């Protein structure tokens, strides 16, 4: 016992030199079953040095507002209470996020007056709710609805925030894009490095089911060409651009990204053609995504572990789904070979509620976060997984009926969903005799061909999808299909029998995500506005219509 206590004490001394950031999401308490996260009771004291509560809204008037009804009475109070048990803990409020896009941010950075107005209101809001700082999650300046000039205006915002926050002993940080091209577009890296207390590099979501072939979302290949996504390339780009390494925090993922496979028994490795996202987990309920506590339930037929993986992280298949993920071994690899060797300031997890917080997997609570902390000490070896190779015969390849559906070539979805694979999947696109509308709804997403080969011009019938884009993690490289909607011309012709984006958006202004449904808070409500029927009724547990507007 004495020896164990000594080891733990040494670990604490070593790890205390590094920042340990944990994001906690305000929608995790909506999850079912093992994924239901009680923000007040599921946290473990001294697990993190900084907790960042995600997310709050930024309005065009410069105000900060909560996203969820539980934020102020439950969420804010819970993270504040942690500090009473751990006086060294710092709590920050994250504003923005992937689904927030650039809404509000583009307005608050326009002028010195608008920036000062936001800063003044932010200081008041943070003090009122006992936060120690603000985390800017603008995804992203000069992108996704933000003009090019916002790149420099973001720098000014960081500089002015730091100047005013310092007077009140408040921290100011930012979550930033990891993709090299995205980071180059959005940030004056050297300048923001000077003004922010630290920067959380979102070095995950490097690949995902928005792509046609499988990849690993935390690819840690040291030999990847600089033109390709990898954690090494992301870190090297930020450092070579003038980033102070002691302020750069390495982002780690407590979730996996996956694909459904055409024939997962025979073809399942990296680079295999997928057919959309993996089967959703029972708790997270998002296609293409699984929490760590869901991944440990997978019955792998094939698996490659970190020690034998070209991406220095595990991945595998259960015969139907491919999943790339992190385990204790791959987390330790990134800490030792990237964070420590590059002299970075610490690590960050997205998110604490996606780790195994309840010991569902049987290896202890928060195994990934604790593996990162333990890896600070080179003598601590993580629990290693074992490669698995399928033995036995594979069933005959599945045969699906041909679909007449494909992406609408004149709609905002053109070029998305892996070369029309999403629309052609019979599970997503209804395929009746005349390509009838799904539940009476139309959309500009999928159209139907006259023949089953998909070679003839599309008819003027349209169909809508059965599934939705889901609320993402803070993706650093993903191009959202929703983003293309905003670039559609408002002068598109309206032809009889066709679906055009402007007319649909005008007709469907009253549609929004069902606030009582499982999709609450997802996809910025834009999906429903594009795909929801105009009747003032609920057509599913996803979308509802409002009589206003």
């Amino acid at each position: 016992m004495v020896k164990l206590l000594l080891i733990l004490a040494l670990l604490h001394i070593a790890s205390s030199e590094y920042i340990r950031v944990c994001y906690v999401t305000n929608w995790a308490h909506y999850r079912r079953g093992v994924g239901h996260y009680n923000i007040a009771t599921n946290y473990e004291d001294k697990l993190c040095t900084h907790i960042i509560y995600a997310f709050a809204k930024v309005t065009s008037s410069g105000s900060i507002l909560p996203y969820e009804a539980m934020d102020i009475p439950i969420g804010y109070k819970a993270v504040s209470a942690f500090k009473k048990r751990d006086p060294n803990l710092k709590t920050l409020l994250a504003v923005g996020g992937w689904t927030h896009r650039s809404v509000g941010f583009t307005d608050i950075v326009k002028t010195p007056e608008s920036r000062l107005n936001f800063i003044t209101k932010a200081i008041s809001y943070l003090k009122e709710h006992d936060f120690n700082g603000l985390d800017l999650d603008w995804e992203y300046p000069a992108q996704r609805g933000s003009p090019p000039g916002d790149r420099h205006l973001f720098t000014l915002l960081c500089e002015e925030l730091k100047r005013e926050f310092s007077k009140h002993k408040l921290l100011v940080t930012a979550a930033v894009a990891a993709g090299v091209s995205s980071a180059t577009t959005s940030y004056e890296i050297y300048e923001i490095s000077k003004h922010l207390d630290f920067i959380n590099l979102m070095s995950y979501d490097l690949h995902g089911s928005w792509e046609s072939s499988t990849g690993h979302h935390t690819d840690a290949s040291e030999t990847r060409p600089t033109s390709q996504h990898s954690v090494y390339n992301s870190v090297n780009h930020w450092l070579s651009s003038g980033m102070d390494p002691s302020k750069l925090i390495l982002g780690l993922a407590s979730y996996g990204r996956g694909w459904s496979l055409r024939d997962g028994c025979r073809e399942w490795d990296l680079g295999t053609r997928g057919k959309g996202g993996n089967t959703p987990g029972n708790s997270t309920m998002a296609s293409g995504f699984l929490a760590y506590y869901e991944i440990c339930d997978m019955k792998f037929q094939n698996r490659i572990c970190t020690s034998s993986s070209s991406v220095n992280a595990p991945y595998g298949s259960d015969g139907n789904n491919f999943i790339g993920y992190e385990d204790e071994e791959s987390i330790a690899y990134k800490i030792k070979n990237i964070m420590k060797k590059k002299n970075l300031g610490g690590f960050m997890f997205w998110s604490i509620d996606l780790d195994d917080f309840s010991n569902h997997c049987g290896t202890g609570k928060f195994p990934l976060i604790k593996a990162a902390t333990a890896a600070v000490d080179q003598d601590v070896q993580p629990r290693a997984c074992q490669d698995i190779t399928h033995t036995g015969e594979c069933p005959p390849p599945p045969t699906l009926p041909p679909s007449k559906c494909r992406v609408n070539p004149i709609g905002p979805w053109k070029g998305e969903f892996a070369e029309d694979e999403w629309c052609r999947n019979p599970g997503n696109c209804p395929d009746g005799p005349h390509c009838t509308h799904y539940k009476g709804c139309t959309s500009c997403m999928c159209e139907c061909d006259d023949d089953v080969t998909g070679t003839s011009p599309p008819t003027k019938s349209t169909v809508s999808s059965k599934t939705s884009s889901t609320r993402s993690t803070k993706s650093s490289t993903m191009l959202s299909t929703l983003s293309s909607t905003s670039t559609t011309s408002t002068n598109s012709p309206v032809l009889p029998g066709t679906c055009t984006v402007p007319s649909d958006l005008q007709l469907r202004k009253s549609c929004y995500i069902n606030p009582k449904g499982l999709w609450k808070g997802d996809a910025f409500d834009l999906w429903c506005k594009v795909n929801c029927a105009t009747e003032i009724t609920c057509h599913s547990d996803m979308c509802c219509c409002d009589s206003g507007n």
Side-chain angles (χ1 to χ4, degrees):
M1 178 61 71
V2 174
K3 185 177 180 180
L4 176 60
L5 292 174
L6 179 59
I7 292 174
L8 292 174
L10 290 173
L11 281 175
H12 176 69
I13 292 170
S15 63
S16 65
E17 299 173 7
Y18 295 92
I19 291 173
R20 307 190 305 277
V21 179
C22 299
Y23 279 87
V24 61
T25 63
N26 59 359
W27 61 91
H29 72 289
Y30 292 120
R31 295 189 182 121
R32 305 182 303 182
V34 68
H36 175 72
Y37 186 82
N38 187 319
I39 194 169
T41 61
N42 284 127
Y43 178 68
E44 189 172 298
D45 289 346
K46 299 186 178 180
L47 188 67
C48 317
T49 61
H50 298 72
I51 291 181
I52 301 182
Y53 188 93
F55 289 107
K57 303 176 186 178
V58 175
T59 70
S60 58
S61 64
S63 297
I64 295 177
L65 297 175
Y67 255 116
E68 305 287 349
M70 56 77 65
D71 283 340
I72 292 177
I74 299 174
Y76 293 177
K77 287 185 178 180
V79 295
S80 177
F82 299 156
K83 294 187 289 186
K84 296 178 181 178
R85 303 193 299 266
D86 180 6
N88 294 320
L89 177 68
K90 304 298 181 185
T91 62
L92 295 89
L93 179 65
V95 290
W98 177 256
T99 57
H100 196 290
R101 298 166 64 90
S102 293
V103 175
F105 287 106
T106 57
D107 296 306
I108 66 172
V109 298
K110 283 183 179 178
T111 66
E113 292 76 19
S114 62
R115 293 193 297 271
L116 180 59
N117 173 60
F118 169 71
I119 293 168
T120 302
K121 290 181 177 179
I123 291 171
S124 176
Y125 193 85
L126 295 173
K127 285 188 170 184
E128 179 184 357
H129 299 294
D130 193 32
F131 285 102
N132 298 112
L134 187 73
D135 184 54
L136 297 170
D137 283 53
W138 180 355
E139 300 185 24
Y140 301 100
Q143 298 186 63
R144 306 183 73 223
S146 168
D150 281 356
R151 180 175 184 263
H152 178 63
L153 293 178
F154 180 70
T155 301
L156 296 181
L157 176 65
C158 293
E159 179 181 5
E160 294 163 14
L161 272 167
K162 180 59 179 175
R163 183 170 60 242
E164 296 301 317
F165 273 35
S166 295
K167 299 175 183 178
H168 300 271
K169 297 182 179 180
L170 292 171
L171 300 172
V172 56
T173 66
V176 297
V180 172
S181 60
S182 186
T184 302
T185 299
S186 292
Y187 312 112
E188 297 172 336
I189 291 177
Y190 173 69
E191 294 299 323
I192 65 172
S193 167
K194 294 189 297 185
H195 305 305
L196 296 170
D197 288 292
F198 58 82
I199 290 176
N200 298 306
L201 182 65
M202 295 187 285
S203 41
Y204 37 69
D205 286 354
L206 302 178
H207 298 283
S209 59
W210 51 90
E211 298 170 321
S212 59
S213 299
T214 61
H216 204 293
H217 74 304
T218 62
D219 184 333
S221 168
E222 294 187 63
T223 59
R224 193 73 66 207
T226 55
S227 60
Q228 298 180 11
H229 292 313
S230 80
V231 178
Y232 275 100
N233 288 343
S234 297
V235 170
N236 290 338
H237 174 73
W238 275 83
L239 295 180
S240 65
S241 300
M243 178 73 210
D244 178 353
S246 68
K247 289 186 176 183
L248 188 62
I249 309 302
L250 180 67
L252 303 171
S254 51
Y255 63 93
R257 288 278 180 192
W259 285 255
S260 292
L261 296 173
R262 300 164 184 268
D263 184 5
C265 183
R266 295 174 178 83
E267 299 179 12
W268 63 272
D269 212 329
L270 292 170
T272 299
R273 289 271 296 181
K275 57 175 185 179
N278 61 273
T279 303
N282 291 330
S283 292
T284 54
M285 299 179 64
S287 179
F289 180 94
L290 288 175
Y292 181 71
Y293 55 76
E294 293 172 320
I295 294 169
C296 72
D297 286 334
M298 287 187 67
K299 300 184 185 303
F300 286 105
Q301 290 187 2
N302 296 284
R303 181 173 66 190
I304 299 295
C305 296
T306 299
S307 58
S308 52
S309 167
S310 63
V311 295
N312 293 307
Y315 60 90
S317 165
D318 64 0
N320 297 310
N321 303 285
F322 171 97
I323 191 75
Y325 64 103
E326 299 277 23
D327 62 8
E328 292 107 312
E329 192 175 16
S330 63
I331 290 292
Y333 173 89
K334 289 180 172 67
I335 295 297
K336 295 177 181 179
N337 294 282
I338 301 179
M339 190 199 86
K340 296 194 72 175
K341 286 186 177 180
K342 300 288 185 180
N343 296 312
L344 305 187
F347 60 82
M348 169 270 283
F349 269 90
W350 182 271
S351 61
I352 192 171
D353 47 79
L354 294 171
D355 199 352
D356 183 16
F357 57 86
S358 65
N359 193 26
H360 172 72
C361 303
T363 58
K365 294 181 180 180
F366 301 104
L368 299 185
I369 298 174
K370 289 180 179 178
T373 302
V376 171
D377 186 334
Q378 294 284 353
D379 295 329
V380 176
Q381 296 299 319
R383 183 177 60 89
C385 79
Q386 299 293 321
D387 290 351
I388 298 174
T389 301
H390 177 70
T391 58
E393 296 183 0
C394 292
T399 56
L400 296 174
S403 171
K404 300 176 183 178
C405 296
R406 67 179 180 181
V407 168
N408 181 349
I410 64 170
W413 307 93
K414 181 183 178 182
E416 304 287 354
F417 292 103
E419 300 177 356
D420 291 356
E421 287 298 328
W422 196 93
C423 277
R424 293 191 186 280
N425 185 340
N428 294 321
C429 184
D431 195 14
H434 305 289
C435 283
T436 54
H437 304 325
Y438 175 65
K439 290 187 178 180
C441 297
T442 62
S443 81
C444 293
M445 184 173 159
C446 301
E447 284 198 347
C448 295
D449 294 327
D450 288 328
D451 66 353
V452 297
T453 64
T455 57
S456 67
T459 67
K460 292 182 180 180
S461 298
T462 59
V463 293
S464 71
S465 67
K466 289 168 60 178
T467 60
S468 84
S469 302
T470 55
R471 188 169 184 176
S472 170
T473 58
K474 305 180 306 147
S475 170
S476 56
T477 59
M478 180 171 63
L479 295 178
S480 169
T481 54
L482 297 177
S483 65
S484 59
T485 306
S486 62
T487 62
T488 306
S489 170
T490 56
N491 296 317
S492 300
V494 179
L495 302 176
T498 62
C499 176
T500 61
V501 176
S503 61
D504 279 357
L505 288 177
Q506 292 298 319
L507 289 171
R508 299 190 177 107
K509 283 182 178 179
S510 57
C511 289
Y512 63 94
I513 290 291
N514 181 351
K516 296 181 180 179
L518 297 173
W519 305 95
K520 182 178 186 288
D522 286 349
F524 201 48
D525 283 2
L526 185 54
W527 195 93
C528 276
K529 288 189 178 183
V530 175
N531 294 284
C532 183
T534 59
E535 291 84 4
I536 307 171
T537 56
C538 288
H539 290 279
S540 72
D541 66 348
M542 180 178 166
C543 299
C544 274
C545 292
D546 195 341
S547 58
N549 295 333

